Amino acid sequence: MALLTETPARTPSAAAGGWANPSVRYAVKRTGAAISTFIFVLIFNFFLFRILPGDPVALYTRGRNVDPESIRALEAKLHRPIGQQFLEYARNPFTGNGPSVKYNQSVWEVIAPALWPTLLLVGTATLIATIIGVWLGIRSGWNRGERFDVISSNTTLVLYSMPEFWFGMIMLIVFAVGIGPIPGMFPTGGLSDPGVDTSTPAGWLNVAWHLFLPVTTLAVIYLAEYSLIMRASIIEERGQDYVQTARAKGLMDKMVRRQHAVPNALLPTMTLVFLNLGFVVGGAITIEYVFSIHGLGSLTVDALQGPDVPLLQALFLLFSGAVIFANLVADLLYGYFDPRVRT
Amino acid sequence: MALLEFDDVSVTYRSRGADIPAVRGVTLNVNAGESLGLAGESGCGKTTLTSTVLRMQPKSAKVTGEIRLNGDNILDMTWGQVRALRWAEASVVFQGAMHALNPVQKIGDQLAEPILLHSKVSKKDADRRVGELLEMVGLPARRADAYPHQLSGGQKQRVMIAMALACDPQLIIADEPTTALDVMVQAQVLNVLQGLVKELNVGMVFISHDLSVLSSTCDRIAVMYAGKIVEQGPAADVFDHPQHPYAGALAGAFPRIGDTRYRYSPSGLPGDPPFPGDLPSGCTFHPRCPVAVERCATTEPSLIQHGSHQTACLLVGSEIA
């Protein structure tokens, strides 16, 4: 019963694989962009440290007794043509600038043990914050102005405005030191008690007990941000025409929310979560410092105090790489969930 | 018994303590197989009136009167009954199809959604029905795999029409279905709608501010102004021989091809419709009316039969008009 003749429609090429497939093309494009950004950072990171003011030799050796021979060797190394030095760096960007000045170890050997505590801390906190934050945001945004929303959005606003180190210190005073009737229940710092074998289940529990306060602190701060974004996003989607359509179809309120509003509203929150995840590898500095966790954050503070130039350079590169990688993951996920960006 | 009956329906919004009457005592019928055009400027209550049929009006709105679909008063129903009625008995082609489809869902899934919700069919049967629906509005069945952004505006609007037909409703409310479309696509969409009304014997309420579109698509036209019906009658009559000065102004605002008068003096109506919270006394149209006399400001006219029309104007039938 065609009332109209078939109009020539654009043929979707989704059936075809390879380069013709818009999804593949999108993924390749985004990955390419990420790689070129990283190459730019690589180059920038090299020259950034070359244009630091002052005598590089003094910078490398400040505050330490160094025998004249080593200084001469260092000078000779730095006097080589810049292209040659860059090639040496480019071949091995992390360790190409020599060993850590402060630890007198290969840069990588200094960074590797600090990586795990940070990933554990930040990863757990982000996971918890995302789940709770998104749930809170959806619930309060969907029922905007109701009591749940008033309580939730005011609380999250307060939490969002708190400096994380300050909040961490309060948590320490209340729950680790103990205040009034509240006994000190948690350790004040570190990742595990000395002498505990962290490869056994008992060791994991010990780590979990140590991580409770810092993870809670970080998670609370992040979830405040995520729930506020999710709330704003749900409120925006709630007023869209397609939500109206879904209601008119006779769907129940929760189906309208789950199947129509939430999939659309999640998109901006997802981007934010992944962007944060990238920054957070280096950004947990204050929390690590407050809770004496020897992760990348504490290591950065150490390296800055030196300053330990080779170590700093490697850390900068690592942090930039994390941001670029997280961005790429966000882009790819966005492409997966939002058909509009694929084409 | 008509398919849809509005019986003295009023819709009042409560906003900051003040009552804002958006619809004031409308009585109107639509029969099966009949299309009724609802005309008027933006803000005169057309969408508010029709949104009550599916109880889609905002929470702050108070509806009085009776709205009967097949004799059952919609305002008495429980939410469960309303949900069962939505789309299965009456569906809507929304204003602005650009945004009325979920951007991250395939159109096939969006078309199948009400079918799976309202009738006990398998996913496979629903998919087959989706294919039929798409072909009914002139789109190839395989477009079910497309996302809304891959379709043009006219195609999206046709998907909306296909969606409105999904559950074989008895009534379709088309809320400015062609406003955002170019003239060629508009003609296509109108053809589709017109054909469906006749073939499937559904009743249709067609909302538009474009009297010329309504006169060519609908059997009857009702003109609304400030929440009331001011003129009602057979489509061609209302367009060609409007009795109410407002209907005349609406009809005059659209040029007629071949009539040179319109080319040399396109006519418009100065001013804006009144704010529903602050309506003029007497006939609400009198401040903008080119032929208003003194008593128009004091006496509110009621809808009176004049020939084939019903008109709410003090001057119609009297010597002055």
Side-chain angles (χ1 to χ4, degrees), chain A residues 1-4 7 9-10 241-242 244-245 247-252 259-260 264 339-340 342-343, chain B residues 56 83 86-87 94 99-105 110 113 117-118 136 143 147 149-150 158 163 192 199:
Chain A
M1 181 177 96
L3 293 159
L4 268 177
T7 46
R10 276 173 292 160
D241 290 348
Y242 68 81
Q244 178 102 334
T245 309
R247 275 191 212 288
K249 281 177 179 174
L251 290 174
M252 292 213 287
Q259 295 181 358
H260 293 276
N264 280 283
R340 283 166 295 186
R342 282 203 292 270
T343 41
Chain B
M56 293 289 288
R83 274 202 305 274
R86 284 180 175 176
W87 224 259
F94 280 105
H99 307 290
L101 293 166
N102 186 341
V104 303
Q105 230 179 43
Q110 300 189 53
E113 190 174 38
L117 185 73
H118 291 288
M136 220 184 269
R143 293 304 275 166
Y147 287 97
H149 74 278
Q150 293 167 319
R158 280 190 259 159
M163 193 142 91
V192 173
E199 277 187 54

Side-chain angles (χ1 to χ4, degrees), chain B residues 101-313:
Chain B
L101 293 166
N102 186 341
V104 303
Q105 230 179 43
K106 287 182 180 172
I107 59 162
D109 293 337
Q110 300 189 53
L111 283 164
E113 190 174 38
I115 302 171
L116 292 167
L117 185 73
H118 291 288
S119 45
K120 296 225 176 305
V121 294
S122 66
K123 180 81 177 75
K124 228 179 92 199
D125 289 340
D127 285 343
R128 199 168 45 233
R129 172 88 178 125
V130 166
E132 285 171 19
L133 287 166
L134 285 173
E135 277 168 4
M136 220 184 269
V137 295
L139 289 169
R142 63 188 152 76
R143 293 304 275 166
D145 281 332
Y147 287 97
H149 74 278
Q150 293 167 319
L151 303 176
S152 68
Q155 288 174 324
K156 268 188 245 186
Q157 193 57 275
R158 280 190 259 159
V159 169
M160 281 306 295
I161 294 170
M163 193 142 91
L165 297 169
C167 301
D168 293 319
Q170 296 161 293
L171 178 76
I172 295 175
I173 297 164
D175 191 350
E176 309 219 14
T178 59
T179 306
L181 305 176
D182 66 69
V183 187
M184 294 305 288
V185 181
Q186 190 172 334
Q188 289 181 348
V189 170
L190 290 176
N191 268 334
V192 173
L193 275 174
Q194 232 177 339
L196 292 170
V197 171
K198 294 296 165 244
E199 277 187 54
L200 306 174
N201 200 37
V202 297
M204 185 167 77
V205 180
F206 195 117
I207 301 178
S208 179
H209 54 260
D210 188 336
L211 262 193
S212 65
V213 164
L214 292 182
S215 72
S216 63
T217 327
C218 298
D219 304 315
R220 271 190 308 132
I221 289 179
V223 179
M224 279 185 86
Y225 189 77
K228 277 195 163 186
I229 306 266
V230 292
E231 179 157 359
Q232 196 197 144
D237 275 5
V238 172
F239 187 54
D240 293 331
H241 311 288
Q243 294 179 339
H244 195 284
Y246 179 62
L250 276 186
F254 298 96
R256 263 163 253 207
I257 291 166
D259 192 333
T260 45
R261 269 183 304 158
Y262 290 93
R263 200 183 321 159
Y264 297 119
S265 61
S267 58
L269 180 65
D272 290 309
F275 174 62
D278 184 22
L279 293 172
S281 61
C283 171
T284 49
F285 185 58
H286 84 264
R288 297 171 77 192
C289 184
V291 293
V293 295
E294 237 172 78
R295 72 196 156 102
C296 292
T298 50
T299 318
E300 185 161 22
S302 47
L303 213 53
I304 294 166
Q305 193 81 38
H306 296 286
S308 62
H309 304 203
Q310 285 182 316
T311 310
C313 180

